[in-house]
Amino acid sequence: MSHQKNALPPVVVLVLAVVLAGYYFLQPGSQETKTTSPAPSGEFDASGGVMKIQFLDVGQGDAILVTSPEGKTMLYDGGRSTSRMKEHIEELGLTKLDIMVASHGDFDHINGLNEAVKLKPTYFINNGIAADTATYRKLIRAVKAAKTQGLVARDRNIELGSVKLHVFDIPKGLGDDQNANSVGILIERGSFKAFLGGDSEKDTMEGWLNQYSKVLKEVNVYKSAHHGSPHNDNAEFLSVVSPEVVVIGVGPNNYGHPSEEAIDLYKKYSEHLYRTDLNGMVTIEVDASGHYRTTTEKGREE
Ligand SMILES: [Zn+2]
């Protein structure tokens, strides 16, 4: 109660806030930050801590590391190569993982997790459908040995420090197909939203639109589904999500990824398109209010 005595009248607080805000934005530092990279959502202010989303360059595959301002981490997929994942872990100085996610059981998403699991993550989120591969079985053995708690994806909110993770329900009736049963996670901080949906199929996205169209509206950053395949992302889904930035996790491959169709689609529905084969690691930094900026290891956006 003693704090009450020293409290300033609301009007004074308001005037002070306005003056301080004006002062902050006049600082040369903040002007400089603004110009370092595209900042489609406005002024970036790192003073309240920064959340990082790093789309790792793992060749043909996906691996995305999310780090909260408090240093909590989630690795969403690990790419196809354990040695590549090892390099990333060393370069990033990662010594622990709070959450590890396998979007689905395909090799290009889970093999690298066989390296990441050595960091003994606390939780392992997965789609609950066993893949009939040696890689998958090895991973499940390692998860058990690490005493990591398995969580099958279903609608739930998880706090990664001050970052909110909204794990989506996997739509029903999609059979055992791994891609179709990809784990969807919406990452939120302030007004910022990013969505990771593995290699989800049209049917998956339709199910998500039925259940989550409100929260999926106007996502800032979107991970391309299935490395820019022509059969996954579609106009119906992207017109709702309407991302500002799309990132494709892709490397040398025989599938023709990313396809021209997907690239045209992304260019139609988003403003910025990055791909890990041309840009290396793509990093999104998000401030407390949700302003963000994008930087790449190399090259320009598509
Ligand atoms: Zn894939």
Side-chain angles (χ1 to χ4, degrees), residues 225-243:
H226 207 175
H227 327 289
S229 142
H231 310 296
N232 300 69
D233 277 313
N234 56 83
E236 197 197 350
F237 191 66
L238 288 177
S239 64
V240 173
V241 172
S242 144

Side-chain angles (χ1 to χ4, degrees), residues 31-264:
Q31 289 294 325
E32 223 173 86
T33 340
K34 196 182 162 193
T35 54
T36 48
S37 57
S41 61
E43 296 278 355
F44 189 88
D45 173 9
S47 64
V50 173
M51 161 174 86
K52 263 192 198 177
I53 304 177
Q54 290 163 301
F55 292 82
L56 310 182
D57 174 14
V58 289
Q60 175 73 2
D62 279 338
I64 298 108
L65 179 69
V66 180
T67 309
S68 83
E70 301 79 16
K72 298 272 182 198
T73 49
M74 170 177 82
L75 180 67
Y76 181 99
D77 287 340
R80 61 175 49 245
S81 158
T82 48
S83 60
R84 198 111 170 208
M85 182 47 65
K86 190 167 191 240
E87 277 170 31
H88 281 300
I89 287 171
E90 281 167 9
E91 273 167 29
L92 295 165
L94 254 186
T95 53
K96 66 171 189 78
L97 265 187
D98 294 286
I99 301 174
M100 185 170 89
V101 183
S103 68
H104 61 296
D106 283 356
F107 187 79
D108 56 325
H109 297 255
I110 65 163
N111 195 40
L113 295 182
N114 272 313
E115 184 63 35
V117 71
K118 293 177 185 169
L119 297 173
K120 299 193 185 306
T122 312
Y123 297 105
F124 173 54
I125 301 175
N126 63 94
N127 67 5
I129 299 171
D132 189 17
T133 63
T135 308
Y136 184 85
R137 286 187 285 273
K138 187 178 165 195
L139 178 62
I140 297 306
R141 275 199 303 274
V143 163
K144 281 181 184 155
K147 299 201 164 34
T148 297
Q149 188 186 336
L151 295 174
V152 173
R154 62 165 179 78
D155 189 278
R156 67 171 99 216
N157 287 304
I158 296 176
E159 283 169 8
L160 187 74
S162 57
V163 173
K164 188 180 144 199
L165 304 175
H166 184 175
V167 182
F168 282 10
D169 273 333
I170 296 175
K172 298 213 171 4
L174 300 174
D176 279 351
D177 183 76
Q178 283 291 346
N179 286 353
N181 287 279
S182 285
V183 175
I185 299 184
L186 188 74
I187 302 161
E188 293 180 85
R189 187 179 195 217
S191 60
F192 174 90
K193 293 196 262 187
F195 185 67
L196 310 176
D199 284 355
S200 49
E201 301 271 350
K202 258 185 173 170
D203 290 351
T204 328
M205 297 178 201
E206 214 179 287
W208 282 334
L209 282 187
N210 286 336
Q211 195 173 346
Y212 298 109
S213 64
K214 242 190 198 157
V215 289
L216 274 171
K217 236 169 230 156
E218 286 161 22
V219 158
N220 301 90
V221 174
Y222 176 69
K223 185 197 81 67
S224 157
H226 207 175
H227 327 289
S229 142
H231 310 296
N232 300 69
D233 277 313
N234 56 83
E236 197 197 350
F237 191 66
L238 288 177
S239 64
V240 173
V241 172
S242 144
E244 289 169 329
V245 172
V246 172
V247 184
I248 310 177
V250 68
N253 68 86
N254 300 322
Y255 311 107
H257 295 165
S259 67
E260 242 172 78
E261 291 99 312
I263 288 179
D264 287 348

